[in-house]
Amino acid sequence: MAKSTRNPSWTRDELLIALDYYLDNSEDYFPPTGNGVLDLTRRISQVAKALGLTGSNTLRNANGVSMKLLNFRAHDPNFATKGLSRGNKLEEVVWSEYADQPLVLKKVVTTILDITYVAATVDTPVLPDDDMTEAREGRLLTRLHRYRERNATIIKRKKASALKQYGHLCCEACNFDFHATYGDRGEGFIECHHTKPVSELAAGKTTKLGDLVLLCANCHRMIHVARPWLTVKELLEALAKKA
Ligand SMILES: [Zn+2]
Ligand SMILES: [Zn+2]
């Protein structure tokens, strides 16, 4: 069977890393043979690998990386960039989300690069579930968030601690109680959400009970349904507004 050697589209993670480099070096011409672009290409390739992306042996080469940087320049109001291609839609989105927040972006990128080797060993699918929209911070951090909050051991401890304290399990945002509503079938059912901002997740750190909140499936889904993900406080504000 012939293997497709077409390279996959750039992911949000890779674009975030490229944009961070662009903002640090926005005066540069980004020659593909320059050390800066070569180093950047290595970092991006590492992330592409952690994401499980496969393609031809040009999967993230210096020419492609240099072109992405110039695509970002086409969005940069500090440059007259007639004739430069603006790239695809995702580049525009990433630019609009982060170009004016270079420090926030740097933190996200540092965390992505830090967790690259962990994420590569986390045995979860490349694409996030349907019930979780990929975070603004990219797929690797989405995956790590999901992995952390679905750890069976810590979920068991969190539920046991809530049961001991309150005598029942209910959603910390809307108070929904699966057992009260669905009877025996709902007993013990509740989801956990990891409250740490994903840019602060770190490799090798264990989840503490205090990092988790118990949420019903609806509230949890509302947090993750669109970018940026909501904090629990923002979710509560949304609930209060409609009441
Ligand atoms: Zn709820
Ligand atoms: Zn969550």
Side-chain angles (χ1 to χ4, degrees):
M1 198 170 66
K3 211 171 151 234
S4 166
T5 51
R6 205 171 165 269
N7 287 330
S9 304
W10 279 53
T11 58
R12 185 174 264 276
D13 304 61
E14 295 167 286
L15 290 174
L16 292 174
I17 294 162
L19 178 59
D20 172 60
Y21 181 87
Y22 176 83
L23 295 174
D24 281 348
N25 301 278
S26 62
E27 303 292 321
D28 199 355
Y29 291 100
F30 310 119
T33 49
N35 283 338
V37 170
L38 289 174
D39 275 353
L40 178 64
T41 304
R42 265 191 290 277
R43 286 199 293 279
I44 290 175
S45 302
Q46 202 184 335
V47 167
K49 194 172 158 222
L51 284 166
L53 302 182
T54 53
S56 74
N57 54 10
T58 62
L59 180 64
R60 303 333 171 209
N61 63 6
N63 282 322
V65 170
S66 167
M67 209 166 72
K68 282 295 158 195
L69 293 167
L70 293 172
N71 289 154
F72 281 129
R73 172 153 299 154
H75 292 281
D76 192 337
N78 297 321
F79 285 85
T81 52
K82 248 177 125 201
L84 272 187
S85 155
R86 294 169 73 91
N88 62 23
K89 182 90 181 99
L90 190 52
E91 280 143 44
E92 189 181 333
V93 171
V94 166
W95 176 274
S96 69
E97 286 172 351
Y98 285 104
D100 59 353
Q101 299 186 68
L103 294 179
V104 175
L105 176 61
K106 187 150 299 291
K107 175 141 186 40
V108 172
V109 166
T110 306
T111 309
I112 292 174
L113 293 171
D114 277 355
I115 65 154
T116 300
Y117 75 95
V118 185
T121 63
V122 172
D123 184 22
T124 45
V126 174
L127 286 169
D129 282 350
D130 292 338
D131 66 355
M132 198 177 270
T133 300
E134 187 178 303
R136 220 174 78 140
E137 295 82 356
R139 204 177 288 174
L140 284 179
L141 284 166
T142 300
R143 201 196 273 181
L144 188 57
H145 171 90
R146 189 173 51 154
Y147 178 76
R148 289 278 164 83
E149 70 184 15
R150 293 189 188 174
N151 175 306
T153 314
I154 189 87
I155 290 175
K156 215 168 147 191
R157 280 180 51 213
K158 180 73 184 177
K159 285 181 181 177
S161 131
L163 270 175
K164 199 169 157 208
Q165 196 175 351
Y166 306 110
H168 67 125
L169 295 176
C170 73
C171 173
E172 293 183 44
C174 75
N175 293 321
F176 190 87
D177 179 332
F178 284 90
H179 192 196
T181 304
Y182 295 106
D184 288 349
R185 179 168 283 259
E187 189 178 2
F189 190 86
I190 193 93
E191 296 188 0
C192 276
H193 170 65
H194 200 298
T195 57
K196 267 227 176 107
V198 292
S199 62
E200 283 166 31
L201 293 176
K205 279 259 169 67
T206 49
T207 304
K208 298 192 202 70
L209 286 191
D211 295 334
L212 297 174
V213 291
L214 297 173
L215 292 179
C216 73
N218 280 349
C219 286
H220 197 188
R221 193 151 183 181
M222 283 302 109
I223 283 181
H224 291 302
V225 77
R227 282 182 288 274
W229 289 355
L230 297 181
T231 62
V232 174
K233 187 165 168 277
E234 287 163 343
L235 179 76
L236 284 168
E237 282 161 10
L239 271 170
K241 241 184 252 157
K242 68 131 255 273

